[in-house]
Amino acid sequence: MPTRRPELGSHFETNLAGVHVIGDLAGAPVVKLAMEQGFALAEHIAGLGGRATEGYDVIVAGAGAAGLNCALTLQERGLRVLVLEKARVANTIH
C-alpha cells in the first residue's frame, strides 16, 4: 500500500487550522528543499504576529532539516519555540 501524503493548502497548512506540514512528509526529501520550506513557513508564521500569553508560541514536531530551520528562524524572529523529536536530532541528515 503506497504511503499517502497529506493534502496541503497555502503555507503548507493541512485541513486542521494552524497545523502545517513541511519536509519529507510534505514531499521534500531533499535537504535544501526541506530547509527552504522550513524558512518559508517560519516567515509566514512570524508575519502573523500572534503570540501566546504563556508557554510556547509554536511547537515544531520533528527535528529534521525542515523543522530545525523553521524553529531557528522563528527564534530569530523572537518567538518561543519547542521542538519535539522522537529519535535523534537531525536524524534525516545523519
Coordinates of all heavy atoms in Angstrom, one line a residue:
M1 N 0.8 -1.2 0.0 CA 0.0 0.0 0.0 C 0.9 1.2 0.0 O 1.7 1.4 0.9 CB -0.9 0.0 1.2 CG -1.8 1.2 1.4 SD -2.8 0.9 2.8 CE -4.2 1.9 2.4
P2 N 0.7 2.1 -1.0 CA 1.6 3.3 -1.0 C 1.3 4.3 0.1 O 0.1 4.4 0.6 CB 1.3 3.9 -2.4 CG -0.1 3.4 -2.8 CD -0.2 2.0 -2.1
T3 N 2.3 5.0 0.6 CA 2.1 5.9 1.6 C 1.5 7.2 1.0 O 1.9 7.7 0.0 CB 3.5 6.3 2.2 OG1 4.1 5.1 2.7 CG2 3.3 7.3 3.4
R4 N 0.4 7.6 1.7 CA -0.3 8.9 1.2 C 0.3 10.1 2.0 O 0.5 10.0 3.2 CB -1.8 8.7 1.5 CG -2.4 7.7 0.6 CD -3.9 7.6 0.8 NE -4.5 8.9 1.2 CZ -5.7 9.0 1.7 NH1 -6.5 7.9 1.8 NH2 -6.2 10.1 2.0
R5 N 0.5 11.1 1.3 CA 0.9 12.4 1.9 C -0.3 13.2 2.2 O -1.3 13.1 1.5 CB 1.9 13.1 1.0 CG 3.2 12.3 0.7 CD 4.2 13.2 0.0 NE 5.3 12.5 -0.5 CZ 6.3 12.0 0.2 NH1 6.3 12.2 1.5 NH2 7.3 11.4 -0.3
P6 N -0.2 14.1 3.2 CA -1.4 14.9 3.5 C -1.6 16.0 2.4 O -0.6 16.4 1.7 CB -1.0 15.6 4.8 CG 0.5 15.5 4.9 CD 0.9 14.2 4.1
E7 N -2.8 16.3 2.1 CA -3.1 17.4 1.2 C -2.9 18.7 1.9 O -3.4 19.0 3.0 CB -4.5 17.3 0.7 CG -4.7 16.0 -0.2 CD -6.1 16.0 -0.8 OE1 -6.7 17.0 -1.0 OE2 -6.6 14.9 -1.0
L8 N -2.1 19.6 1.2 CA -1.8 20.9 1.9 C -2.3 22.0 1.1 O -2.3 22.0 -0.1 CB -0.2 21.0 2.0 CG 0.5 19.8 2.7 CD1 2.0 20.0 2.6 CD2 0.0 19.7 4.1
G9 N -2.7 23.1 1.8 CA -3.2 24.3 1.2 C -2.0 25.3 1.2 O -0.9 25.0 1.2
S10 N -2.4 26.6 1.2 CA -1.4 27.6 1.2 C -0.6 27.6 2.5 O -1.1 27.2 3.5 CB -2.0 29.0 0.9 OG -2.8 29.3 2.0
H11 N 0.7 27.9 2.4 CA 1.6 27.9 3.5 C 1.7 26.6 4.2 O 1.9 26.5 5.4 CB 1.2 29.0 4.5 CG 1.1 30.4 3.9 ND1 2.2 31.1 3.4 CD2 0.0 31.1 3.6 CE1 1.8 32.2 2.9 NE2 0.5 32.3 3.0
F12 N 1.5 25.5 3.4 CA 1.7 24.1 3.9 C 0.7 23.7 5.0 O 0.9 22.9 5.8 CB 3.1 23.9 4.4 CG 4.2 24.3 3.5 CD1 4.9 25.5 3.7 CD2 4.6 23.6 2.4 CE1 5.9 26.0 2.8 CE2 5.6 24.0 1.5 CZ 6.2 25.2 1.7
E13 N -0.5 24.4 5.0 CA -1.5 24.2 6.1 C -2.3 22.9 5.7 O -2.7 22.8 4.5 CB -2.3 25.4 6.3 CG -3.2 25.3 7.5 CD -3.8 26.6 7.9 OE1 -4.0 27.5 7.1 OE2 -4.1 26.7 9.1
T14 N -2.6 22.1 6.7 CA -3.4 20.9 6.5 C -4.9 21.4 6.6 O -5.2 22.5 6.8 CB -3.1 19.8 7.5 OG1 -3.5 20.3 8.8 CG2 -1.7 19.5 7.5
N15 N -5.8 20.4 6.6 CA -7.2 20.7 6.8 C -7.5 21.0 8.3 O -8.6 21.5 8.6 CB -8.1 19.5 6.4 CG -7.8 18.3 7.1 OD1 -6.7 18.0 7.5 ND2 -8.9 17.5 7.3
L16 N -6.5 20.9 9.2 CA -6.7 21.3 10.6 C -6.0 22.7 10.7 O -4.8 22.9 10.5 CB -6.0 20.4 11.5 CG -6.5 18.9 11.5 CD1 -5.6 18.1 12.3 CD2 -7.9 18.9 12.1
A17 N -6.9 23.7 11.0 CA -6.4 25.1 11.0 C -5.2 25.2 12.0 O -5.3 24.7 13.1 CB -7.5 26.0 11.4
G18 N -4.1 25.8 11.5 CA -3.0 26.1 12.4 C -2.0 24.9 12.4 O -0.9 25.0 13.0
V19 N -2.3 23.8 11.7 CA -1.4 22.7 11.6 C -0.7 22.7 10.2 O -1.4 22.5 9.2 CB -2.1 21.3 11.9 CG1 -1.1 20.2 11.7 CG2 -2.7 21.3 13.3
H20 N 0.6 22.8 10.2 CA 1.3 22.9 8.9 C 2.2 21.7 8.8 O 2.8 21.2 9.8 CB 2.1 24.2 8.8 CG 1.3 25.4 9.0 ND1 0.8 26.1 7.9 CD2 0.8 26.0 10.1 CE1 0.1 27.2 8.4 NE2 0.1 27.1 9.7
V21 N 2.5 21.2 7.6 CA 3.4 20.1 7.4 C 4.4 20.5 6.3 O 4.1 21.0 5.3 CB 2.6 18.9 6.8 CG1 3.5 17.7 6.5 CG2 1.6 18.4 7.9
I22 N 5.7 20.3 6.7 CA 6.8 20.6 5.8 C 7.8 19.4 5.8 O 7.7 18.5 6.6 CB 7.5 21.9 6.2 CG1 8.0 21.9 7.7 CG2 6.6 23.1 5.9 CD1 8.8 23.1 8.1
G23 N 8.8 19.5 5.0 CA 9.9 18.5 5.0 C 9.5 17.2 4.2 O 8.7 17.3 3.3
D24 N 10.0 16.1 4.6 CA 9.8 14.9 3.9 C 8.4 14.5 3.8 O 7.9 14.0 2.8 CB 10.6 13.7 4.6 CG 10.7 12.5 3.8 OD1 10.8 12.6 2.6 OD2 10.7 11.4 4.4
L25 N 7.6 14.7 4.9 CA 6.2 14.4 4.9 C 5.4 15.2 3.9 O 4.4 14.8 3.3 CB 5.6 14.6 6.3 CG 4.1 14.1 6.5 CD1 4.0 12.6 6.2 CD2 3.7 14.4 7.9
A26 N 5.9 16.4 3.5 CA 5.3 17.3 2.5 C 5.9 17.1 1.2 O 5.6 17.8 0.2 CB 5.5 18.7 3.0
G27 N 6.7 16.0 1.0 CA 7.2 15.7 -0.3 C 8.5 16.4 -0.6 O 8.9 16.6 -1.8
A28 N 9.3 16.8 0.4 CA 10.6 17.5 0.2 C 11.7 16.6 0.8 O 12.3 17.0 1.8 CB 10.5 18.9 0.8
P29 N 12.0 15.5 0.1 CA 13.1 14.6 0.7 C 14.5 15.2 0.5 O 15.4 14.7 1.1 CB 12.9 13.4 -0.1 CG 12.4 13.8 -1.5 CD 11.5 15.0 -1.1
V30 N 14.7 16.2 -0.3 CA 16.0 16.9 -0.5 C 16.2 17.9 0.6 O 15.3 18.7 0.9 CB 16.1 17.5 -1.9 CG1 17.4 18.2 -2.1 CG2 15.8 16.5 -3.0
V31 N 17.3 17.8 1.3 CA 17.6 18.7 2.5 C 17.4 20.1 2.1 O 16.8 20.9 2.9 CB 19.0 18.4 3.1 CG1 19.4 19.4 4.1 CG2 19.1 17.0 3.6
K32 N 18.0 20.6 1.0 CA 17.9 22.0 0.6 C 16.4 22.4 0.5 O 16.0 23.5 1.0 CB 18.6 22.2 -0.6 CG 18.7 23.7 -1.1 CD 19.5 23.9 -2.4 CE 19.6 25.3 -2.8 NZ 18.5 25.9 -3.3
L33 N 15.6 21.6 -0.1 CA 14.2 22.0 -0.3 C 13.5 22.0 1.0 O 12.6 22.8 1.3 CB 13.5 21.0 -1.3 CG 12.1 21.2 -1.6 CD1 11.8 22.7 -2.1 CD2 11.6 20.2 -2.6
A34 N 13.8 21.0 1.9 CA 13.2 20.9 3.2 C 13.5 22.2 4.0 O 12.6 22.8 4.7 CB 13.6 19.7 3.9
M35 N 14.8 22.6 3.9 CA 15.2 23.8 4.7 C 14.5 25.1 4.1 O 14.1 25.9 4.9 CB 16.7 24.0 4.6 CG 17.4 22.9 5.4 SD 19.2 23.0 5.3 CE 19.4 24.5 6.3
E36 N 14.3 25.1 2.8 CA 13.6 26.2 2.2 C 12.1 26.3 2.7 O 11.6 27.3 3.0 CB 13.6 26.2 0.7 CG 15.0 26.5 0.1 CD 15.1 26.2 -1.4 OE1 14.1 25.8 -2.0 OE2 16.2 26.5 -2.0
Q37 N 11.5 25.1 2.8 CA 10.1 25.0 3.3 C 10.1 25.5 4.7 O 9.2 26.2 5.1 CB 9.6 23.6 3.2 CG 9.2 23.2 1.8 CD 8.6 21.8 1.8 OE1 8.6 21.1 2.8 NE2 8.1 21.4 0.6
G38 N 11.0 25.1 5.5 CA 11.1 25.5 6.9 C 11.2 27.0 7.1 O 10.5 27.6 7.9
F39 N 12.1 27.6 6.3 CA 12.2 29.1 6.3 C 11.0 29.8 5.9 O 10.5 30.7 6.5 CB 13.4 29.5 5.4 CG 13.6 30.9 5.4 CD1 14.3 31.6 6.4 CD2 13.2 31.7 4.3 CE1 14.4 33.0 6.4 CE2 13.3 33.1 4.3 CZ 14.0 33.7 5.3
A40 N 10.4 29.3 4.8 CA 9.1 29.9 4.2 C 8.0 29.9 5.2 O 7.3 30.8 5.4 CB 8.7 29.3 2.9
L41 N 7.8 28.7 5.9 CA 6.8 28.6 6.9 C 7.0 29.5 8.1 O 6.1 30.1 8.6 CB 6.6 27.1 7.3 CG 5.5 26.9 8.3 CD1 4.1 27.4 7.9 CD2 5.4 25.4 8.7
A42 N 8.3 29.5 8.5 CA 8.6 30.4 9.7 C 8.3 31.8 9.4 O 7.8 32.6 10.2 CB 10.1 30.2 10.0
E43 N 8.7 32.3 8.2 CA 8.4 33.7 7.8 C 6.9 34.0 7.8 O 6.5 35.0 8.2 CB 9.0 34.0 6.4 CG 10.6 34.0 6.5 CD 11.1 35.2 7.2 OE1 10.8 36.4 6.9 OE2 11.8 35.0 8.3
H44 N 6.1 33.0 7.3 CA 4.7 33.2 7.3 C 4.1 33.2 8.7 O 3.4 34.2 9.0 CB 4.0 32.0 6.6 CG 2.6 31.9 6.7 ND1 1.7 32.9 6.1 CD2 1.8 31.1 7.4 CE1 0.5 32.6 6.5 NE2 0.5 31.5 7.3
I45 N 4.5 32.3 9.6 CA 4.1 32.3 11.0 C 4.5 33.6 11.7 O 3.7 34.2 12.4 CB 4.5 31.0 11.7 CG1 3.8 29.8 11.1 CG2 4.3 31.1 13.2 CD1 4.4 28.5 11.6
A46 N 5.7 34.0 11.5 CA 6.2 35.2 12.2 C 5.4 36.4 11.7 O 5.2 37.3 12.5 CB 7.7 35.3 12.0
G47 N 5.1 36.4 10.5 CA 4.3 37.5 9.9 C 2.9 37.6 10.4 O 2.3 38.7 10.3
L48 N 2.4 36.5 11.0 CA 1.0 36.6 11.5 C 0.9 37.4 12.8 O -0.2 37.9 13.1 CB 0.5 35.2 11.8 CG 0.4 34.2 10.6 CD1 0.0 32.8 11.1 CD2 -0.7 34.8 9.6
G49 N 2.0 37.5 13.5 CA 2.1 38.4 14.7 C 1.5 37.9 15.9 O 1.4 38.6 16.9
G50 N 1.0 36.7 15.9 CA 0.4 36.1 17.1 C 1.4 35.6 18.1 O 2.4 35.2 17.8
R51 N 1.1 35.8 19.4 CA 1.9 35.4 20.5 C 1.1 34.7 21.6 O 0.0 35.2 21.9 CB 2.7 36.5 21.1 CG 3.7 37.3 20.2 CD 4.9 36.5 19.9 NE 5.6 35.9 21.0 CZ 6.7 36.4 21.6 NH1 7.3 37.5 21.2 NH2 7.3 35.8 22.6
A52 N 1.5 33.7 22.1 CA 0.8 33.0 23.3 C 1.1 33.9 24.5 O 2.1 34.5 24.7 CB 1.4 31.6 23.5
T53 N 0.1 33.9 25.4 CA 0.3 34.7 26.6 C 1.3 34.0 27.6 O 1.9 34.7 28.4 CB -1.1 34.9 27.4 OG1 -1.7 33.6 27.6 CG2 -2.0 35.8 26.5
E54 N 1.4 32.7 27.5 CA 2.4 32.0 28.3 C 2.8 30.7 27.5 O 2.1 30.3 26.6 CB 1.8 31.6 29.7 CG 0.6 30.8 29.6 CD 0.0 30.6 31.0 OE1 -0.6 31.6 31.6 OE2 0.1 29.5 31.5
G55 N 3.9 30.1 27.9 CA 4.3 28.9 27.3 C 5.0 29.2 25.9 O 5.8 30.2 25.8
Y56 N 4.8 28.4 25.0 CA 5.4 28.5 23.7 C 4.5 29.1 22.6 O 3.3 28.9 22.7 CB 5.9 27.1 23.2 CG 6.9 26.5 24.1 CD1 6.5 25.5 25.0 CD2 8.2 26.8 24.0 CE1 7.4 25.0 25.9 CE2 9.2 26.3 24.8 CZ 8.8 25.3 25.8 OH 9.7 24.8 26.6
D57 N 5.1 29.8 21.7 CA 4.3 30.4 20.6 C 4.0 29.3 19.5 O 3.0 29.3 18.9 CB 5.0 31.6 20.0 CG 5.2 32.7 21.0 OD1 4.2 33.1 21.7 OD2 6.3 33.2 21.1
V58 N 5.1 28.5 19.3 CA 5.0 27.5 18.2 C 5.6 26.2 18.7 O 6.6 26.2 19.4 CB 5.8 27.9 17.0 CG1 5.8 26.9 15.9 CG2 5.2 29.2 16.4
I59 N 5.0 25.1 18.4 CA 5.6 23.7 18.7 C 5.9 23.1 17.3 O 5.0 23.0 16.5 CB 4.6 22.9 19.5 CG1 4.3 23.5 20.8 CG2 5.2 21.5 19.7 CD1 3.3 22.8 21.7
V60 N 7.1 22.7 17.2 CA 7.6 22.0 16.0 C 7.8 20.5 16.3 O 8.5 20.2 17.2 CB 8.9 22.6 15.5 CG1 9.5 21.9 14.3 CG2 8.7 24.1 15.1
A61 N 7.1 19.7 15.5 CA 7.2 18.3 15.7 C 8.2 17.7 14.6 O 7.9 17.8 13.4 CB 5.9 17.6 15.5
G62 N 9.4 17.4 15.0 CA 10.3 16.8 14.1 C 11.5 17.8 14.0 O 11.4 18.9 13.6
A63 N 12.7 17.2 14.3 CA 14.0 18.0 14.3 C 14.8 17.6 13.1 O 16.0 17.4 13.2 CB 14.7 17.8 15.6
G64 N 14.2 17.5 11.9 CA 14.9 17.3 10.7 C 15.3 18.6 10.1 O 15.2 19.6 10.8
A65 N 15.7 18.6 8.9 CA 16.2 19.8 8.2 C 15.1 20.9 8.2 O 15.4 22.1 8.5 CB 16.7 19.5 6.8
A66 N 13.9 20.5 7.9 CA 12.8 21.5 7.8 C 12.4 22.0 9.1 O 12.3 23.2 9.3 CB 11.6 20.8 7.1
G67 N 12.2 21.1 10.1 CA 11.8 21.5 11.4 C 12.8 22.4 12.1 O 12.5 23.4 12.8
L68 N 14.1 22.0 12.0 CA 15.1 22.8 12.7 C 15.3 24.2 12.0 O 15.4 25.2 12.7 CB 16.5 22.1 12.6 CG 16.6 20.9 13.5 CD1 18.0 20.2 13.3 CD2 16.5 21.3 15.0
N69 N 15.2 24.2 10.7 CA 15.3 25.5 10.1 C 14.1 26.4 10.4 O 14.3 27.6 10.6 CB 15.5 25.4 8.6 CG 16.2 26.6 7.9 OD1 17.0 27.2 8.5 ND2 15.8 26.9 6.7
C70 N 13.0 25.8 10.5 CA 11.8 26.6 10.9 C 11.9 27.1 12.3 O 11.7 28.3 12.5 CB 10.5 25.7 10.7 SG 9.0 26.5 11.0
A71 N 12.3 26.2 13.2 CA 12.4 26.6 14.6 C 13.5 27.7 14.8 O 13.2 28.7 15.5 CB 12.8 25.4 15.4
L72 N 14.6 27.6 14.2 CA 15.7 28.6 14.3 C 15.3 29.9 13.7 O 15.5 31.0 14.3 CB 17.0 28.1 13.6 CG 17.7 26.9 14.4 CD1 18.8 26.4 13.5 CD2 18.2 27.3 15.7
T73 N 14.6 29.9 12.6 CA 14.1 31.1 12.0 C 13.0 31.8 12.9 O 13.1 33.0 13.1 CB 13.5 30.9 10.6 OG1 14.5 30.3 9.8 CG2 13.1 32.2 10.0
L74 N 12.1 31.0 13.5 CA 11.1 31.5 14.4 C 11.8 32.2 15.6 O 11.4 33.2 16.1 CB 10.1 30.4 14.8 CG 9.2 30.0 13.7 CD1 8.5 28.7 14.1 CD2 8.2 31.1 13.4
Q75 N 12.8 31.5 16.2 CA 13.5 32.0 17.3 C 14.2 33.4 17.0 O 14.2 34.3 17.8 CB 14.5 31.0 17.9 CG 13.9 29.9 18.7 CD 15.0 29.0 19.3 OE1 16.0 28.8 18.7 NE2 14.7 28.5 20.4
E76 N 14.8 33.4 15.8 CA 15.4 34.7 15.3 C 14.4 35.8 15.2 O 14.7 37.0 15.4 CB 16.1 34.5 14.0 CG 17.3 33.6 14.0 CD 17.9 33.3 12.7 OE1 17.3 33.7 11.6 OE2 19.0 32.7 12.6
R77 N 13.1 35.4 15.0 CA 12.1 36.4 14.8 C 11.4 36.7 16.2 O 10.4 37.5 16.3 CB 11.0 36.0 13.9 CG 11.4 35.6 12.5 CD 12.1 36.8 11.8 NE 12.5 36.5 10.4 CZ 13.8 36.1 10.1 NH1 14.7 35.9 11.0 NH2 14.1 35.8 8.9
G78 N 12.0 36.2 17.3 CA 11.5 36.5 18.6 C 10.4 35.6 19.2 O 9.9 35.9 20.2
L79 N 10.1 34.5 18.5 CA 9.0 33.6 19.0 C 9.6 32.5 19.9 O 10.8 32.2 19.7 CB 8.3 33.0 17.8 CG 7.4 34.0 17.1 CD1 7.7 34.1 15.7 CD2 5.9 33.6 17.3
R80 N 8.8 32.1 20.8 CA 9.2 31.0 21.7 C 8.8 29.7 21.1 O 7.7 29.4 20.8 CB 8.6 31.1 23.1 CG 9.0 32.5 23.8 CD 8.1 32.8 24.9 NE 6.7 32.9 24.4 CZ 5.7 33.5 25.0 NH1 5.9 34.1 26.1 NH2 4.6 33.6 24.4
V81 N 9.8 28.8 20.9 CA 9.6 27.6 20.1 C 10.0 26.3 20.9 O 11.1 26.3 21.6 CB 10.4 27.6 18.8 CG1 10.2 26.4 18.0 CG2 10.1 28.8 18.0
L82 N 9.2 25.3 20.8 CA 9.6 24.0 21.4 C 9.7 23.0 20.3 O 8.8 22.9 19.4 CB 8.4 23.5 22.4 CG 8.6 22.1 22.9 CD1 9.8 21.9 23.8 CD2 7.3 21.7 23.6
V83 N 10.8 22.3 20.2 CA 11.0 21.3 19.2 C 10.9 19.9 19.8 O 11.6 19.6 20.8 CB 12.3 21.4 18.4 CG1 12.5 20.4 17.4 CG2 12.4 22.8 17.8
L84 N 10.0 19.0 19.2 CA 9.9 17.7 19.7 C 10.5 16.7 18.6 O 10.2 16.9 17.5 CB 8.4 17.3 19.9 CG 7.7 18.3 20.9 CD1 6.2 17.9 20.9 CD2 8.2 18.1 22.3
E85 N 11.2 15.7 19.1 CA 11.8 14.7 18.2 C 11.7 13.4 18.8 O 12.0 13.2 19.9 CB 13.2 15.1 17.9 CG 14.0 14.1 17.1 CD 13.4 13.7 15.7 OE1 13.0 14.7 15.0 OE2 13.2 12.5 15.5
K86 N 11.2 12.4 18.0 CA 11.1 11.0 18.5 C 12.4 10.2 18.6 O 12.5 9.3 19.3 CB 10.0 10.3 17.7 CG 10.4 9.9 16.3 CD 9.4 9.1 15.6 CE 9.9 8.8 14.2 NZ 9.0 8.0 13.5
A87 N 13.3 10.6 17.7 CA 14.6 9.8 17.7 C 15.7 10.7 18.0 O 15.9 11.2 19.1 CB 14.7 9.2 16.3
R88 N 16.6 11.0 17.0 CA 17.8 11.8 17.2 C 17.6 13.1 16.4 O 17.1 13.1 15.3 CB 18.9 10.9 16.6 CG 20.2 11.6 16.5 CD 21.4 10.8 16.0 NE 21.0 9.6 15.3 CZ 21.8 8.7 14.8 NH1 23.1 9.0 14.9 NH2 21.4 7.7 14.1
V89 N 18.1 14.2 16.9 CA 18.1 15.5 16.3 C 18.9 15.3 14.9 O 19.9 14.8 14.9 CB 18.7 16.6 17.1 CG1 18.8 17.9 16.4 CG2 17.8 16.8 18.4
A90 N 18.3 15.9 13.9 CA 18.8 15.8 12.5 C 19.0 14.4 12.0 O 19.9 14.1 11.2 CB 20.1 16.6 12.5
N91 N 18.2 13.5 12.5 CA 18.3 12.1 12.1 C 18.2 11.9 10.5 O 18.9 11.1 10.0 CB 17.2 11.3 12.7 CG 17.4 9.8 12.7 OD1 18.6 9.3 12.9 ND2 16.4 9.0 12.3
T92 N 17.4 12.7 9.9 CA 17.2 12.6 8.4 C 18.5 13.0 7.7 O 18.9 12.5 6.6 CB 16.1 13.4 7.9 OG1 16.2 14.8 8.3 CG2 14.7 12.9 8.4
I93 N 19.2 13.9 8.3 CA 20.5 14.4 7.7 C 21.6 13.4 8.0 O 22.4 13.1 7.2 CB 20.9 15.8 8.3 CG1 19.9 16.8 7.9 CG2 22.3 16.2 7.8 CD1 20.0 18.1 8.6
H94 N 21.6 12.8 9.2 CA 22.6 11.8 9.6 C 22.5 10.6 8.6 O 23.5 10.1 8.1 CB 22.3 11.3 11.0 CG 23.4 10.4 11.5 ND1 23.4 9.1 11.2 CD2 24.4 10.7 12.3 CE1 24.5 8.5 11.8 NE2 25.1 9.5 12.5

